[in-house]
Amino acid sequence: MTETVETRRFEAEVQQVLHLVVHSLYSHKEIFLRELVSNASDACDKLRFESIANPDLAREGGDLAIDVTFDRGAGTLSVADNGIGMSRDEVIDHLGTIARSGTRRFLETLSGDARRDTQLIGQFGVGFYSAFIVAGRVTVETRRADAAAAEGVRWESDGSDGYTIASIERSTRGTTVTLHLKDDEREFLDGWRLRELIHKYSEHIAFPIRMSVEKDGKATAELEVVNQAKALWTRPRSEVADEDYKAFYRQVSGDFREPLTWSHNRVEGKQSYTTLLYLPSQPAFDAMFSNRDERHGLKLYIRRVFVLDAAEQLLPAYLRFVRGVVDSDDLPLNVSRELLQENRLVSQIRGGIVKRVLDMLEKVKADKPDDYATFWKSFGNTLKEGIAEDTGNRERIARLLRFASTSQVDGTQSTSLDDYVARMREGQEAIYYLTADGYTAAAGSPQLESLKSRGVEVLLLHDRIDEWMTGYLHEYAGKSLRNIAKGELELGALGDSADAAKDTEAGEASKELIERLRTLLGDRVSDVRVSRRLTESPACVVTAEHDMALHMQRLLREAGHELPTSANVLEINPAHPLLTTLGDTLDDARAADLAAVLLDQAIIAGGGVLDDPADFVRRLNRLLLPSS
C-alpha cells in the first residue's frame, strides 16, 4: 500500500507542557520505562476486559505479554504489547494532546451498562511523554484489535512542535513504542540495566515482561520472562520479602518513598477476598495534570481480573490516603459502580478494610510514635473527617487524634485524648478545648487565662476542620468536650468557695459598670457580664453554646457564605485598669470610645473581623490623645 504521511501540529501550549514533563515533572529519568510498561499493561488489561463481551478480539496474537527490546547499533529501545491497540483517530486524540487519558476517552465511547461496568486505569498521555526525557525521537506503531491489517498507524515526533501520522500495514494487534535514544542516554541499551529497572518498578505487573536472551553480549531471537508476572497479593506472605512489598507500593501508588506500613490479608468464609493495604508516610507526588477532584482509592480485581481503579466504594472518604488492592472471589465481573454501592458483599468487604486500616494505625501509633507523628502531620486533618462520617468507629478514630495543648511549649500536635484524660485535674469533669485560626492565636487567647492559672490543661484546636469536627465529637471516655470560648464557663470542683464568693462580690461591685457598658454598646452585644475566664486581659467575647466560633464566621463570610447576624456576650475583668478608667470616666463621648475599642479588641483577639475597621482606628486615635 502507498504510505501517505500527514504532518500535524500539537495542540496549543503543548511545547510548554512538554518542557515541564521532560525537565521538571520527573526527578528520575529512568521512570520513563515504568510509564511505558504501565501503559502496555493497561492496553492488555483493556483487551482482556473488552474480550469478555467480544471473545473474537483475543483470538489472534497469542497470550498477552509485553516485550522490551533494544538495538545498540540503531540506538533504539522498544516497548511492545499485544493489547487492545489504537485506531488512527485514537492515536490523534491520545498522542496529539498532552495529559489526555486514553482510558478516559475509551470510557466516553461506551454507553449504557457497558460504560457503567468498568473504570479502567491508564494515563496514556503524560506518562507516555516521559519517553522524551531520554529520546530525541519517538515512533509509535499500532493497530486496534478489531481492525484489519491495513488499518495500522504510525505516529512519530521529535517532541518539538508537532508529529507525523501515516497508515501502515501491521499484521498484529497492539502497540510498539520505539525510542530513538539521545546520545547521552545509551545506558538504556544495556540488558542488565533494563532488567534492573523492570525488577525495580514493574516486577509485579500481571503480564509477562519479556526480553531477548543475550549470548556473548548479543541479543538473540529467544525471549525470556524477566518479571514475576504474578500478582504479588496472590502469593503467600511467607514468600514475599519486604523489598517486594515496597516495590509493589511504588508501582501501585506512584510514590518513590517507602510506605509507613502495610497489611497483606486473606479472608475466607461466606465470601473470600484478599487485601494488600498500604499506609503512606507522606502524600505521594501527584502529576501536575491530575484532576484535583478525582477520587483516589483501592484497585479492585475480581478473580485476578482488573475491574476498577480508585474504587471509592471500598473505602470511606476519610481513609482516602490508603493505597492498595482488593481481589474478590465472589463479586461478578460485570459489576458497576452503582452495583458496588448497593452490594451487600461490598459492604462487608468495606467494613473489613476499615477495621484493618484502623488496626494498622493503632499499631503504628503504639509501636512507632515518631512515624505516627510524621503520618499525622500529613493526614491528620483527613482522618478527622471520620469523626463525622463513621459513627460506628468514632471512638476508635478519636483515640487516634492528636492536638496541640497548653501543656506543650512547641505547638506540636502530640497530645492524644487519652493523654489529656490521664492528666486531668482531680474533680475535672470536662475536656476543655479552644478553637482558633492558628496555633499562635489559640495559645495567646484571653479565654485561657483562668484555666491556665489553675493549672488546667486546654487543647488548642487550630485547624479549619476542628470547629466542624467538634460538632460531632461531644464526649470521650465519659468526659464531655467543652469549648471554653462558648457559653458560661462552669468550673465546678476546679473552683472553690472563695472563688464563688469573689465572683459574687465582683458582680455586685460592677453592676453600674455593666449597665453603662450595656447602654454604650447597645445591640452590638447580647449581654455584658463579669468573666470567670479572665485574669489579665480586660475583656473577651463569648459566643452562645451552639454558635459558630468567631474565626469560623469570618472564614465562611470571606468564602461568600451568608450567615445570620448574632450579637455575642462581652465578658469583662473589672479589676483591669481599662475597666477602672471606663468606670471613672465622666465624659460620655470618651466612655463610648473606650467601650467600643474594648469590644473591638475582644473581637480581634477572638479571631473575628470588625465591621468598620476605620471607626476602630479613629476611636483608638482619639483615646491616645490626652483628654482636654
Side-chain angles (χ1 to χ4, degrees):
M1 63 180 290
T2 303
E3 182 178 302
T4 302
V5 179
E6 180 185 356
T7 300
R8 287 173 168 256
R9 296 185 65 83
F10 286 123
E11 288 192 359
E13 299 181 355
V14 162
Q15 296 317 301
Q16 180 182 357
V17 178
L18 251 177
H19 184 271
L20 289 171
V21 170
V22 175
H23 299 285
S24 304
L25 186 57
Y26 296 101
S27 57
H28 303 279
K29 61 185 177 183
E30 65 193 32
I31 205 66
F32 80 91
L33 187 60
R34 185 195 72 178
E35 298 294 325
L36 295 182
V37 170
S38 178
N39 287 338
S41 174
D42 294 345
C44 293
D45 258 328
K46 200 175 292 185
L47 176 68
R48 187 161 61 174
F49 182 87
E50 285 201 20
S51 64
I52 294 173
N54 184 6
D56 289 341
L57 291 176
R59 285 185 179 168
E60 66 149 302
D63 294 335
L64 293 169
I66 302 165
D67 293 342
V68 178
T69 58
F70 59 92
D71 184 330
R72 290 192 182 94
T76 59
L77 169 65
S78 298
V79 177
D81 67 74
N82 56 350
I84 192 66
M86 291 181 284
S87 67
R88 181 186 180 90
D89 287 342
E90 287 173 328
V91 168
I92 294 172
D93 200 21
H94 299 164
L95 304 189
T97 304
I98 300 289
R100 175 171 294 175
S101 166
T103 295
R104 289 199 186 98
R105 283 297 184 186
F106 162 69
L107 290 173
E108 289 174 6
T109 65
L110 302 179
S111 60
D113 291 338
R115 177 167 183 170
R116 293 193 298 270
D117 284 348
T118 181
Q119 295 285 338
L120 299 178
I121 59 174
Q123 298 288 327
F124 206 94
V126 171
F128 165 76
Y129 280 92
S130 66
F132 287 101
I133 298 173
V134 297
R137 181 161 51 95
V138 177
T139 303
V140 178
E141 294 189 350
T142 185
R143 196 202 88 199
R144 205 177 146 75
D146 55 3
E151 296 180 46
V153 181
R154 178 189 292 122
W155 178 99
E156 193 166 63
S157 176
D158 61 3
S160 57
D161 59 349
Y163 60 92
T164 61
I165 189 167
S167 297
I168 60 169
E169 190 87 17
R170 182 177 167 93
S171 60
T172 58
R173 70 167 189 250
T175 302
T176 301
V177 180
T178 301
L179 281 62
H180 304 264
L181 297 176
K182 300 171 184 176
D183 290 340
D184 56 351
E185 305 296 350
R186 296 184 71 85
E187 64 173 291
F188 300 110
L189 297 176
D190 179 87
W192 289 109
R193 173 68 167 141
L194 294 174
R195 282 173 169 80
E196 174 194 26
L197 294 178
I198 290 170
H199 178 73
K200 180 177 180 180
Y201 294 116
S202 308
E203 179 71 15
H204 307 295
I205 289 288
F207 302 98
I209 302 174
R210 304 181 302 195
M211 289 188 65
S212 297
V213 175
E214 291 190 76
K215 293 181 180 179
D216 300 326
K218 294 183 179 180
T220 67
E222 181 184 356
L223 294 174
E224 63 177 350
V225 177
V226 295
N227 70 322
Q228 289 278 353
K230 182 180 180 181
L232 177 136
W233 62 90
T234 64
R235 297 159 55 190
R237 283 179 292 183
S238 59
E239 296 180 7
V240 185
D242 285 356
E243 287 306 315
D244 293 328
Y245 281 120
K246 293 174 184 178
F248 185 71
Y249 171 73
R250 288 192 290 267
Q251 177 187 323
V252 79
S253 69
D255 188 0
F256 285 104
R257 292 166 294 221
E258 291 189 359
L260 182 67
T261 189
W262 61 85
S263 174
H264 185 186
N265 191 53
R266 172 72 180 169
V267 176
E268 293 182 333
K270 292 183 179 179
Q271 64 169 320
S272 300
Y273 62 92
T274 301
T275 60
L276 177 51
L277 308 173
Y278 291 93
L279 292 180
S281 58
Q282 299 177 51
F285 175 71
D286 290 324
M288 62 187 295
F289 305 101
S290 64
N291 185 347
R292 288 178 179 268
D293 297 325
E294 185 177 351
R295 285 293 301 274
H296 298 287
L298 303 175
K299 299 181 184 296
L300 174 63
Y301 289 76
I302 298 176
R303 295 182 293 280
R304 266 60 67 195
V305 175
F306 178 77
V307 176
L308 288 174
D309 186 50
E312 62 267 21
Q313 292 84 354
L314 295 172
L315 205 63
Y318 75 92
L319 297 179
R320 58 186 175 272
F321 48 80
V322 178
R323 295 292 180 265
V325 298
V326 178
D327 194 341
S328 171
D329 295 346
D330 304 305
L331 291 171
L333 268 175
N334 66 341
V335 68
S336 67
R337 289 186 181 271
E338 287 80 4
L339 288 176
L340 277 180
Q341 201 160 0
E342 302 166 359
N343 192 290
R344 179 176 55 84
L345 296 180
V346 171
S347 179
Q348 293 174 1
I349 294 173
R350 176 186 171 112
I353 290 172
V354 171
K355 181 181 182 301
R356 181 71 53 181
V357 172
L358 294 179
D359 286 345
M360 294 163 67
L361 287 169
E362 288 171 351
K363 183 171 176 56
V364 174
K365 180 193 72 168
D367 298 345
K368 301 177 179 179
D370 290 342
D371 288 349
Y372 188 75
T374 300
F375 165 84
W376 180 260
K377 187 174 181 180
S378 297
F379 301 107
N381 280 350
T382 306
L383 192 60
K384 287 176 183 176
E385 296 173 16
I387 294 295
E389 293 179 11
D390 192 349
T391 56
N393 288 298
R394 182 173 291 164
E395 189 81 5
R396 291 192 71 183
I397 298 167
R399 285 200 295 270
L400 295 167
L401 302 180
R402 293 291 181 271
F403 305 102
S405 161
T406 54
S407 69
Q408 305 162 277
V409 295
D410 56 1
T412 57
Q413 295 187 2
S414 58
T415 296
S416 69
L417 291 174
D418 285 331
D419 294 335
Y420 184 97
V421 171
R423 295 195 291 258
M424 283 176 65
R425 288 271 310 276
E426 184 178 351
Q428 184 178 342
E429 296 298 328
I431 297 172
Y432 293 110
Y433 71 90
L434 175 71
T435 60
D437 201 18
Y439 171 75
T440 302
S445 174
Q447 280 96 339
L448 294 171
E449 293 173 359
S450 178
L451 290 172
K452 286 177 70 175
S453 69
R454 288 173 165 84
V456 178
E457 184 176 5
V458 179
L459 299 176
L460 305 178
L461 280 58
H462 54 83
D463 292 320
R464 292 190 175 188
I465 192 175
D466 289 334
E467 182 79 18
W468 174 78
M469 178 196 69
T470 52
Y472 295 89
L473 186 63
H474 303 295
E475 67 172 42
Y476 180 80
K479 305 290 185 180
S480 63
L481 270 75
R482 181 79 171 82
N483 189 333
I484 66 169
K486 294 184 178 182
E488 292 273 7
L489 183 60
E490 298 293 344
L491 298 178
L494 295 176
D496 54 33
S497 57
D499 289 331
K502 186 178 179 181
D503 290 340
T504 301
E505 181 181 343
E508 289 296 324
S510 305
K511 278 185 177 181
E512 289 188 14
L513 176 61
I514 290 173
E515 286 302 322
R516 190 177 194 188
L517 280 167
R518 286 172 178 163
T519 301
L520 291 171
L521 295 174
D523 59 7
R524 289 194 66 193
V525 295
S526 61
D527 195 10
V528 179
R529 63 184 178 224
V530 173
S531 179
R532 295 179 179 178
R533 295 171 167 85
L534 303 174
T535 59
E536 299 174 5
S537 300
C540 66
V541 169
V542 179
T543 59
E545 189 69 43
H546 301 291
D547 281 356
M548 197 177 298
L550 289 178
H551 74 96
M552 281 303 298
Q553 293 180 30
R554 173 176 59 80
L555 292 173
L556 289 175
R557 287 195 176 97
E558 288 173 355
H561 295 280
E562 292 287 340
L563 296 177
T565 301
S566 60
N568 300 305
V569 175
L570 178 67
E571 291 193 349
I572 61 170
N573 175 10
H576 193 279
L578 277 180
L579 275 301
T580 304
T581 299
L582 178 60
D584 294 339
T585 299
L586 300 177
D587 185 337
D588 288 341
R590 189 169 180 82
D593 284 342
L594 275 169
V597 167
L598 196 70
L599 175 60
D600 288 345
Q601 287 178 338
I603 290 173
I604 294 170
V609 62
L610 301 180
D611 293 332
D612 190 350
D615 181 62
F616 169 71
V617 172
R618 285 192 295 269
R619 290 179 184 272
L620 185 61
N621 288 342
R622 285 199 295 266
L623 291 172
L624 290 173
L625 295 173
S627 56
S628 56

